[in-house]
Amino acid sequence: MIEALLFASSEPLSLEELTLRVPEGTDVLGLLEELQKIYAARGVNLVKVAGKWCFRTAEDLAFLMHRNVEEQRKLSRAALETLAIIAYHQPVTRAEIEEIRGVSTSKGTLDVLLETTWIRMRGRRRTPGRPVTYGTTEQFLIHFGMESVKDLPGLEELKGAGLLDSAVPATFLVPTPNDDILLTEDEDPLEEGSLFEEDADEIAED
């Protein structure tokens, strides 16, 4: 039953969602782990992403799917850098993103990332101007096959992948990502209509 539910679902399913759909008293987690072992050496694997379960093509066979998948628009370097900063430093404001990147970030770049549904507006920082804060979404985790943002590579992994100079200063630190849905102490909730105000502010700045 669990196998059928996962195959039929177009989206990953949580332990809670599966539990509600099978007979009461079913050891859903135990069965998921058993299915995971059964499918470990097959063409599709049972994986856990964003705290939910789904079947995915085995990584070593992903090349077979390339012709069948519609090619997605590639993100610009600015968008990729902005996405990485949001993922590691969330909650983060546009001004903070610009400070980290060392260059200005256009509203268009953030709009593109919002359209992908990989980032979201979280709240407003309790600072002058009350700028919007940004964070990643569940769709971000699902797309990149992660259970949590804590699965993002650390300093040594980034060096090993050639994404960081091996001679970076000893004081350089990669922040520990945190995408807790709860607002931090220096964030206020977004008010109704505040997104339109934000658009007006951004246009004025640009």
Side-chain angles (χ1 to χ4, degrees):
M1 292 173 68
I2 291 172
E3 182 180 30
L5 287 168
L6 290 168
F7 264 120
S9 177
S10 60
E11 299 289 338
L13 297 175
S14 68
L15 183 64
E16 292 74 17
E17 290 171 318
L18 288 166
T19 300
L20 290 173
R21 301 190 192 186
V22 296
E24 187 176 350
T26 301
D27 180 11
V28 178
L29 181 58
L31 292 173
L32 284 167
E33 292 173 346
E34 184 178 340
L35 280 172
Q36 196 170 37
K37 293 176 183 176
I38 292 172
Y39 279 91
R42 295 188 178 180
V44 291
N45 301 149
L46 180 59
V47 297
K48 190 178 182 183
V49 292
K52 298 184 177 181
W53 297 83
C54 63
F55 281 109
R56 285 200 167 177
T57 304
E59 289 187 7
D60 60 337
L61 298 178
F63 70 94
L64 295 171
M65 305 296 114
H66 288 175
R67 291 184 181 178
N68 300 328
V69 177
E70 182 178 342
E71 186 174 354
Q72 296 181 344
R73 181 177 59 177
K74 292 184 178 179
L75 293 179
S76 66
R77 178 173 179 177
L80 287 172
E81 289 177 355
T82 301
L83 177 61
I85 290 169
I86 293 172
Y88 279 97
H89 293 267
Q90 59 188 304
V92 62
T93 66
R94 176 177 168 182
E96 291 165 346
I97 293 169
E98 292 176 342
E99 182 179 357
I100 294 169
R101 287 189 67 216
V103 294
S104 62
T105 299
S106 71
K107 182 177 180 296
T109 297
L110 288 168
D111 285 343
V112 168
L113 292 175
L114 287 167
E115 287 173 9
T116 65
T117 69
W118 294 346
I119 70 167
R120 65 185 177 92
M121 294 179 177
R122 288 176 47 96
R124 286 189 177 275
R125 182 82 76 213
R126 292 180 183 173
T127 55
R130 303 184 67 244
V132 165
T133 55
Y134 296 90
T136 54
T137 66
E138 182 180 282
Q139 288 304 315
F140 170 80
L141 297 176
I142 292 172
H143 181 84
F144 290 99
M146 293 183 289
E147 183 177 347
S148 158
V149 287
K150 292 181 174 59
D151 293 334
L152 284 166
L155 180 60
E156 295 306 317
E157 291 172 294
L158 290 171
K159 284 183 181 178
L163 298 175
L164 279 181
D165 191 324
S166 58
V168 293
T171 54
F172 181 83
L173 295 174
V174 173
T176 301
N178 180 17
D179 62 351
D180 193 333
I181 194 171
L182 298 177
L183 298 178
T184 59
E185 292 183 357
D186 64 349
E187 286 181 290
D188 284 325
L190 289 168
E191 311 91 344
E192 184 177 352
S194 66
L195 300 187
F196 298 102
E197 294 169 8
E198 175 69 11
D199 286 343
D201 292 343
E202 296 287 2
I203 291 171
E205 290 177 13
D206 292 341

